[in-house]
Every structure is written in C-alpha cells, then in structure tokens.
Amino acid sequence: MLRVGIVGLPNVGKSTLFNALTLQHGSGQAHAAAANFPFTTVDPNLGVVTVPDERLDRLANFSHSEKVVPTTIEFVDIAGLVKDAHAGAGLGNQFLSHIREVDAIVEVVRFFPTSDVIHVTGHVDPVHDTETTNTELALADLQTAEKMLERTQRDARSGERALIRRAETLGKIRAALADGAPARNLTLTPQETETIRDVHLLTRKPLLYLANLDHAQMRQAPEILAAFPAQYRPVVPLSVQIEQELSELPTADRATFLAEYGLDHSGLDDLIGAAYTLLGLVTFFTTGPKETRAWTVARGSTAPTAAGKIHSDFERGFIRAETIPWNTLVAAGSYAAARTRGLLRDEGKEYVVRDGDVFIFKTSV
C-alpha cells in the first residue's frame, strides 16, 4: 500500500487533520492525540483512507453490484519537526526515520493566526515555517549523501563501473543539496536512478503543501495563496478546523454545514485526490454484478501490469484486454450495447492504461 506522510512543525494541525481523514474516509475512529503543546505525536499514527471517486458509484449502479471496493492510500501522522531536527533537536531522529518510509509527503503549513494554539516559534509565518521544514529535510539529505558518497568513493577504487556511476550520481545530488536545491529538482537518467534506488532521500519524495486556514481565511483562500511563494506548489487550501467539525456531524447534515462557508464538498476530498495525483497514479475499474472495484497502477503502466494487480498469474498469462472508458460504458447502457456499437476495444500487451478505463482481461490462466 502506498503511504503518504503528514509532516510539518509542531502545532500546525497534523494530528487533527489525520483524525478528520480517518473519521470521514477511513475506519471511522480517530486515534491520533491532538493537544495544544509541541510533540503530542511521538510514534507515527497510521490510517488507511479510501480515495473518493464518483465514477466507482456510477459503475456500481450501472452493474447493480453487490459489493463496491474503492482504492486506498495509507496516511501517516509523523512527529513535528523543529529547527536543527537533522542534528537531533526535538524528536528529529525519530521524525527523519519515520518519514524515510513513506512514498510521498504532505507538508502542513499553518496559516491560521489564533493565539489559542501555541506556535513553536512564537508567531505565525507560513513562509518562514515552510523554509524551516524544507531546510531540515535538505540538511538531513545532505548528511546522508555525504556519508554514502564517501563510502561509495572508497569502494569505487576497485574500478567497478556500477560503483563509479553511483559515486558520480551521489556527487551530483550532494552538489545540488549543498546549493540549497531539493534532490527532486535533479533530472537523473534511468541508470542513475537505479543506482541510488536504495538511497531514501527525503527531498526526492513527491511533495504537496497543505495550507491550513481558519474559517474566515477559507473565504479568501485564492487571494491568500496567491501571496504564497510560487515554488511551494502544488498547494491545497483547507481548514482543518472545519474538517474536524464536519467529521463529527452526521453525514446527512454535512452538506448544510459546508454551505455555511460557501463550500460544496469536503476539502479532504481535494487533499486525497491531490495526494493520489502526486503519487503518479491512475485508476482503472472492473465491474460486474458481484463487484465493482477500483484498482491503482502507476501512470504509464501497460495492460498486462494492470492485469497483474488483480492476480499475478493474469500478467503472466495475459492475452488481450477488452477496454472502454467508464463514462462511455455507462452511457451505452450495457456491455451488450457497447459491443454492438463497436465501443469496446481489444487491446494488446503494449496498451498503456488510461485513467478511467474499464477492463475485461483475457488470460491463458
């Protein structure tokens, strides 16, 4: 399962966000401690969250499915980071070890100004806070790159080409980090990427910013975010306070509550969708009377890879795939009508999965 780490300074709303996510889209139970003092979170909290997708419900209705299975992402609430965390300040070592285990990062940035919630530096400054967090991640990576480069250069004296390439790649990364650039900004060749596959750099992970606004700020979110530096993108505006209150309401009352703030849906839907996109994923579907299910593959995956998500034998025995865009299938009214009208396509092993494809796989297994 793909994991997204929720990070940021202490008291920016990470744990409250995590609880709202799990209440609205997960197990229905909040279990991350949230309090008005730093380092409330020590050990990471884990929560499996369903990805909201109206296409899934439309297909389930189309097929009169007995069961509906959405795709999921695991969110991880990680201890707050402070200045000099890379050198062990605060819970720095625990923070850094936990974040190395995730596939992508959501960085929560505090915009809400209330004095009721302590700010770790004494005042709210979104740009400064973001710079602090990113600097700590970069300095931690610089330490990692320097240690690994020193070791690799020593081993590369043997003349082994793979070790020489690894040393060259680590040198490029170290230079970029020393210049203040995150490792994700480097364009590496496939060979260079492969040679550092075991090097879990924090600043190479995909990064999404979440601007935590209060009730009033949500009404002016576009103007507020327009003043946020352009390099901090993508950014999702969201009021963790609103989402917390929303998660405590019965489902039937939520639309009315959101309308009071000029909203037509939960901001958590936007966050989950943005995290899904950040991970470079696409969704395909299988649908029938027994089950409609959403499946996840990396963007650019071929049809046999998609078949392998259902069962590993399906990839090995892949013959072809009948496919159709989900909305085209629903509009046709039935599989039979879609076939009659020539809307179903036969695709082979080279076909690249498109977001929203519905598949029927033909295999020799």
Side-chain angles (χ1 to χ4, degrees):
M1 182 177 297
L2 292 163
R3 308 176 87 194
V4 176
I6 303 173
V7 307
L9 300 183
N11 289 3
V12 297
K14 301 188 314 304
S15 295
T16 305
L17 171 66
F18 176 85
N19 287 335
L21 276 166
T22 54
L23 282 168
Q24 289 191 40
H25 293 279
S27 62
Q29 293 183 329
H31 56 273
N36 187 19
F37 54 85
F39 307 122
T40 305
T41 300
V42 177
D43 295 321
N45 298 294
L46 310 178
V48 178
V49 172
T50 60
V51 177
D53 195 328
E54 60 127 3
R55 301 172 298 181
L56 191 64
D57 294 330
R58 296 276 301 277
L59 284 168
N61 290 334
F62 165 84
S63 297
H64 305 290
S65 302
E66 297 174 7
K67 185 178 179 182
V68 180
V69 184
T71 190
T72 59
I73 299 175
E74 184 173 62
F75 279 85
V76 187
D77 176 32
I78 298 171
L81 174 148
V82 294
K83 188 176 184 299
D84 295 327
H86 73 282
L91 297 175
N93 293 331
Q94 293 183 54
F95 174 96
L96 296 170
S97 65
H98 293 148
I99 198 174
R100 291 190 195 283
E101 300 172 2
V102 303
D103 300 292
I105 299 171
V106 171
E107 183 175 325
V108 182
V109 183
R110 177 175 171 176
F111 280 72
F112 65 90
T114 180
S115 59
D116 294 338
V117 179
I118 298 167
H119 191 283
V120 71
T121 66
H123 66 282
V124 177
D125 186 337
V127 175
H128 178 268
D129 291 353
T130 303
E131 290 172 348
T132 296
T133 301
N134 292 350
T135 296
E136 290 304 317
L137 297 181
L139 288 173
D141 275 356
L142 183 58
Q143 288 183 344
T144 298
E146 287 178 339
K147 289 178 182 178
M148 299 200 79
L149 177 58
E150 182 180 355
R151 186 183 314 131
T152 304
Q153 286 176 328
R154 185 171 58 249
D155 295 340
R157 292 170 187 164
S158 65
E160 185 177 339
R161 182 57 195 161
L163 289 173
I164 294 172
R165 183 184 298 119
R166 179 181 172 90
E168 292 171 348
T169 304
L170 287 169
K172 288 172 63 174
I173 291 171
R174 182 187 63 176
L177 291 166
D179 285 341
R184 74 178 66 85
N185 284 10
L186 275 176
T187 301
L188 301 179
T189 67
Q191 294 85 354
E192 289 173 329
T193 300
E194 181 61 31
T195 197
I196 60 161
R197 185 173 294 279
D198 63 323
V199 182
H200 302 294
L201 296 171
L202 306 174
T203 65
R204 192 156 173 78
K205 297 179 186 292
L207 175 63
L208 167 71
Y209 296 93
L210 186 148
N212 187 6
L213 313 173
D214 65 15
H215 294 74
Q217 288 172 323
M218 279 299 293
R219 300 181 185 277
Q220 300 165 324
E223 294 83 359
I224 291 172
L225 294 187
F228 198 48
Q231 67 263 35
Y232 302 138
R233 298 290 186 275
V235 58
V236 175
L238 185 146
S239 171
V240 173
Q241 185 180 7
I242 289 176
E243 298 302 332
Q244 179 187 28
E245 294 173 13
L246 184 67
S247 66
E248 295 169 354
L249 291 175
T251 303
D253 297 337
R254 291 179 178 177
T256 301
F257 175 80
L258 287 170
E260 294 177 5
Y261 298 101
L263 303 172
D264 58 10
H265 65 281
S266 166
L268 296 182
D269 292 357
D270 294 333
L271 171 61
I272 296 169
Y276 193 79
T277 300
L278 184 71
L279 288 163
L281 305 175
V282 295
T283 300
F284 71 90
F285 303 97
T286 54
T287 186
K290 290 187 177 181
E291 177 185 273
T292 292
R293 181 184 291 256
W295 304 86
T296 298
V297 291
R299 188 174 301 278
S301 295
T302 59
T305 301
K309 290 289 182 178
I310 298 173
H311 196 291
S312 57
D313 287 345
F314 287 7
E315 183 172 7
R316 177 174 53 83
F318 180 89
I319 299 174
R320 61 185 177 88
E322 282 189 312
T323 185
I324 184 173
W326 76 274
N327 51 345
T328 303
L329 177 61
V330 170
S334 67
Y335 270 113
R339 285 193 179 92
T340 299
R341 294 166 57 186
L343 300 175
L344 276 168
R345 308 187 311 271
D346 271 342
E347 300 289 356
K349 294 182 178 181
E350 303 304 316
Y351 177 72
V352 175
V353 180
R354 300 173 186 170
D355 190 58
D357 278 344
V358 179
F359 282 116
I360 299 176
F361 294 109
K362 307 297 182 181
T363 74
S364 61
V365 179

